[in-house]
Amino acid sequence: MYDLNLQKGTTPFYDGVNTPTLGINGSYLGPTLKMRAGDTVRLNVTNKLGQNSTLHWHGFHLPAYADGGPHQIIKDGATWSPQFEVKQRGSMFWYHSHLPPVTGPQVYQGLAGLIYVDDEETGRLDLPNEYGVDDIPLVLQDRTFDDDGSLFYSGMMMGVMGNVMLVNGSLNPYLESKSQKLRLRILNGSNARFYSLGFSDARLFSQIGTDGGLLERPIDVSHISLAPGERAQVIVDLSDGRPVVLRAVSSGSGPVGSEQVFDILRIQPDLERARVAALPSRLATLDPPDPAQAIGTRPFVLGMGMTINGKRMDRNRIDETVRLGTTEIWEMSNTSMVPHPFHVHDVQFRILDRNGSPPARNERGLKDTVVVNPGERVRVLLSFTDYSDPYLPYMYHCHNLEHEDTGMMGQFVVT
Ligand code: C2O
Ligand code: CU
Ligand code: CU
């Protein structure tokens, strides 16, 4: 059981400057919730913000009433107590407020947090797993500060982007690592910015996980891309003892926006822990997605004017009805000028192809958010195995939060 209080506070991002912020049980962001697959969790979410809000469990497979989307409004002063079984693989998920048109500003001010889910299969693997020691979460959020130290939220419909980087709510973080192998679980928790992440010395590292679980095997990469809402788990080898910086290059939210480089984490190895074990060669069992299982293809056109299939969000309209117990292909075509990270509630899906070609090897895991670039057609395979509700919908939407707040979202029910 967790008691979560959505509250106002001030946060000293800069010494001696108290920035007004929102947080969960604290002044900015919230606690990392630790859950085990198979557990039933109950959360008491109390809203002390002085404004309405919601809290959504991003990436979680759960009944629609527990989803925490725009239909589970927590009025100021009220407590919302969802209960659900954790039906996830071991991975990192997150929670955030989800009430258009204030999702963007509420998350920007701090209403988000992480969820670590553990399961038996991943728990047995020889991977760094000491939270905060050799298993480090990194929440990336670009922000702009006003001269008086307050957070500046422009509300720009194209997406709000900042010029400084907060990592877990801190500026310029630094880590002394006693471990030769460091596991980083990275969330792009930004409202709109896309990142390409790599190390200052261009060293290779291993991606071991995507949004919803571990990859079948580690993939060597020199950089990874993360759009808003996406997560990755990586292992970096520090056995050479050299300091190194994890960096993000950002081209904004696509072709428009300024290119910018952010230092994410300075790492100073201080090696004493002998972690010589090689990475397990096999991490998870993931059958290749089989499109023949699908009963059909559902098209989604991500269009100009922040529309999906020509429509903007209407909370009184159900856009799609899915049959319980079926598998479908969802085909997203982007006819607009900017990329959109398309996110689906309730399910983890698999990417079948991008413009007919198989996805990159590090995109072949469980995903709940997938980038659809301009001109691209991305097909994903989703299974709706349980939980039906003819009235209460789940959301699908662009995870650029300003696009979402403008209406780039639709509703589906599982019946
Ligand atoms: Cu991360 Cu609909 O949300
Ligand atoms: Cu979500
Ligand atoms: Cu978008």
Side-chain angles (χ1 to χ4, degrees):
M1 175 148 106
Y2 288 100
D3 288 316
L4 299 177
N5 295 301
L6 313 184
Q7 58 196 43
K8 291 192 268 201
T10 59
T11 307
F13 298 108
Y14 293 96
D15 282 343
V17 182
N18 289 319
T19 302
T21 49
L22 304 180
I24 299 131
N25 297 356
S27 68
Y28 186 82
L29 297 178
T32 297
L33 310 180
K34 306 241 171 76
M35 301 181 184
R36 273 196 77 81
D39 283 358
T40 294
V41 292
R42 185 185 165 85
L43 303 111
N44 295 315
V45 187
T46 301
N47 181 351
K48 301 176 176 169
L49 294 172
Q51 55 178 299
N52 290 351
S53 191
T54 72
L55 212 55
H56 164 62
W57 325 104
H58 177 125
F60 265 57
H61 176 48
L62 35 62
Y65 65 79
D67 192 39
H71 292 268
Q72 286 81 46
I73 294 177
I74 315 167
K75 292 230 162 75
D76 180 38
T79 298
W80 176 61
S81 301
Q83 180 172 312
F84 53 85
E85 189 187 335
V86 180
K87 291 196 174 188
Q88 306 297 134
R89 291 207 186 191
S91 197
M92 186 176 78
F93 301 86
W94 65 304
Y95 56 94
H96 59 81
S97 81
H98 204 315
L99 186 61
V102 294
T103 310
Q106 289 193 348
V107 171
Y108 193 86
Q109 292 172 87
L111 287 188
L114 296 175
I115 307 175
Y116 267 49
V117 173
D118 222 343
D119 68 359
E120 239 171 77
E121 200 184 345
T122 55
R124 271 201 300 268
L125 293 168
D126 185 16
L127 291 171
N129 63 2
E130 242 185 286
Y131 182 81
V133 176
D134 58 11
D135 180 351
I136 313 280
L138 298 173
V139 180
L140 313 189
Q141 298 178 304
D142 59 325
R143 294 291 183 265
T144 302
F145 287 89
D146 261 333
D147 291 342
D148 65 359
S150 60
L151 285 167
F152 173 68
Y153 183 79
S154 70
M156 282 239 318
M157 188 178 93
M158 286 307 290
V160 170
M161 284 182 260
N163 51 17
V164 295
M165 180 60 66
L166 293 180
V167 179
N168 303 341
S170 300
L171 294 157
N172 302 315
Y174 170 78
L175 177 76
E176 235 166 66
S177 174
K178 304 223 176 285
S179 173
Q180 298 188 14
K181 278 195 171 35
L182 196 58
R183 180 187 200 169
L184 302 173
R185 307 197 197 207
I186 311 168
L187 160 69
N188 183 348
S190 304
N191 282 35
R193 224 182 239 290
F194 288 49
Y195 304 106
S196 171
L197 294 149
F199 288 93
S200 48
D201 58 5
R203 71 179 61 190
L204 293 180
F205 54 104
S206 304
Q207 182 169 356
I208 60 166
T210 50
D211 301 337
L214 294 178
L215 288 160
E216 195 164 33
R217 46 180 58 88
I219 313 269
D220 284 342
V221 288
S222 59
H223 63 272
I224 54 171
S225 300
L226 283 184
E230 287 188 301
R231 287 92 67 210
Q233 288 190 57
V234 306
I235 302 272
V236 54
D237 188 330
L238 301 172
S239 54
D240 66 4
R242 293 210 200 97
V244 68
V245 184
L246 177 65
R247 279 203 177 122
V249 179
S250 169
S251 54
S253 68
V256 289
S258 48
E259 180 134 319
Q260 211 157 334
V261 180
F262 298 97
D263 283 358
I264 303 298
L265 184 66
R266 289 176 299 131
I267 303 169
Q268 176 67 58
D270 173 15
L271 302 176
E272 51 183 39
R273 189 175 309 229
R275 248 206 93 93
V276 281
L279 281 183
S281 58
R282 200 176 178 80
L283 299 166
T285 311
L286 277 176
D287 294 329
D290 176 12
Q293 292 176 347
I295 59 164
T297 297
R298 207 177 276 275
F300 295 89
V301 176
L302 313 182
M304 303 285 277
M306 309 299 170
T307 56
I308 301 177
N309 290 338
K311 299 172 284 187
R312 283 190 178 176
M313 165 82 169
D314 176 349
R315 49 174 293 129
N316 298 313
R317 181 190 69 223
I318 301 297
D319 299 282
E320 308 289 337
T321 301
V322 170
R323 296 289 317 213
L324 183 67
T326 60
T327 295
E328 298 193 353
I329 294 169
W330 285 20
E331 180 186 89
M332 284 74 73
S333 311
N334 185 346
T335 60
S336 77
M337 310 288 282
V338 293
H340 300 287
F342 189 82
H343 168 54
V344 185
H345 286 209
D346 182 43
V347 288
Q348 291 290 327
F349 54 74
R350 305 286 296 281
I351 304 175
L352 290 171
D353 42 41
R354 294 178 171 277
N355 281 344
S357 308
R361 287 198 308 150
N362 62 347
E363 276 200 317
R364 291 183 197 171
L366 293 166
K367 297 283 294 165
D368 54 55
T369 306
V370 61
V371 174
V372 187
N373 288 301
E376 226 172 24
R377 186 170 46 83
V378 177
R379 295 196 313 153
V380 303
L381 190 73
L382 331 81
S383 292
F384 301 88
T385 49
D386 38 20
Y387 303 132
S388 66
D389 190 319
Y391 305 111
L392 264 185
Y394 299 102
M395 305 294 128
Y396 54 85
H397 60 92
C398 176
H399 220 288
N400 174 318
L401 294 181
E402 284 69 41
H403 293 187
E404 176 262 0
D405 277 351
T406 307
M408 201 166 192
M409 176 152 68
Q411 312 196 94
F412 71 100
V413 289
V414 180
T415 64

